[in-house]
Amino acid sequence: MKIYIEKDYNALSKRAADIIASFLKQKPTTILGLPTGSTPQKMYGMLAEKCEKREITFKRVKTFNLDEYSGLSAEDQKSYHFFMKKNLFSKTDIDIKNTFFPNDFKPDYQKYDKKIKESGGIDLQVLGIGRDGHIGFNEPGSKFSSKTRKIYLAKTTVEDNSRFFESKKDVPRKAVTMGISTIMGAKKIILLASGEKKSEAIFNTIFGPVSTKVPASILQRHKNVIVILDKESAKKFKIK
Ligand code: PGA
């Protein structure tokens, strides 16, 4: 694992956007795996800016999102389809036909894994992390061999994500997520974390045992992982 500890959220976002941009310059047909949530939001803004300045293009890029809530339509403002359109797709030259979400493969979600494979596999997978160590919506207990599937959200995830909804009861309890083996199939992975509330999960991910109790800990077994943190999320590291 290569680990960057940046001074703040802005620097973390810039580091991630710069890495992705140089990747896209080298391979204009990159297959990207993408997350949603608060953490990647600024990174997306920076990528959109680079595209507007014609430093990069998404014309031949394909994207596969990590997850989506069950029961929300693509037009629902709380859906991850909507999030991606708002934060990245509508602000770049990407062809919307090249953007994919796992729940659109209902009822056979493993067709998503097949689609990823047929496209050549994910070149670069970007991940956030949950307070409980989840990646995508692979909550603690998820098998490392898991593929794309429907899951129940953990209690902490429902609590954390309730900030995007009117109230906790409005948060969908089910979602469709890429599996852990789907994620591990990516050629390169970037894990992002910001803020003190992620510090325990990050510490366990990097220094703890590889365990399904902390799904992200499996990343220790991947050959090509970059972790980009801000100081708060790296708070538990003892740095001299
Ligand atoms: P966040 O979510 O970026 O909104 O903190 C990350 C995650 O739950 O994977």
Side-chain angles (χ1 to χ4, degrees), residues 36-150:
T36 49
S38 305
T39 315
Q41 214 159 0
K42 197 156 211 165
M43 172 194 85
Y44 286 139
M46 289 174 173
L47 284 171
E49 220 176 284
K50 285 177 192 292
C51 187
E52 202 177 315
K53 287 192 206 149
R54 293 176 190 255
E55 288 171 26
I56 54 170
T57 173
F58 287 81
K59 264 194 185 130
R60 296 163 69 203
V61 168
K62 277 190 189 155
T63 65
F64 287 89
N65 262 80
L66 272 173
D67 45 22
E68 177 62 286
Y69 292 116
S70 285
L72 298 189
S73 75
E75 290 72 40
D76 193 307
Q77 298 201 9
K78 306 284 194 285
S79 75
Y80 290 161
H81 282 73
F82 191 90
F83 174 99
M84 290 308 300
K85 271 197 197 121
K86 183 169 161 220
N87 288 286
L88 188 72
F89 300 158
S90 68
K91 295 179 177 165
T92 64
D93 54 358
I94 199 160
D95 182 344
I96 209 76
K97 289 202 289 294
N98 289 333
T99 68
F100 303 95
F101 289 81
N103 63 321
D104 294 335
F105 289 71
K106 192 179 174 180
D108 183 3
Y109 297 116
Q110 290 198 15
K111 281 203 179 128
Y112 195 56
D113 299 73
K114 220 170 133 201
K115 178 83 189 165
I116 291 171
K117 231 183 211 155
E118 280 165 10
S119 306
I122 291 174
D123 294 304
L124 182 59
Q125 173 69 57
V126 186
L127 298 173
I129 185 168
R131 202 156 46 102
D132 61 0
H134 72 208
I135 43 175
F137 274 139
N138 292 286
E139 302 289 15
S142 295
K143 288 196 178 125
F144 291 150
S145 60
S146 56
K147 299 215 172 1
T148 302
R149 69 205 186 287
K150 198 172 211 175

Side-chain angles (χ1 to χ4, degrees), residues 8 13 23 27 40-41 68 78 84 147 157 229 239:
D8 56 22
S13 306
F23 206 100
K27 188 176 180 191
Q41 214 159 0
E68 177 62 286
K78 306 284 194 285
M84 290 308 300
K147 299 215 172 1
T157 303
L229 309 171
I239 302 163

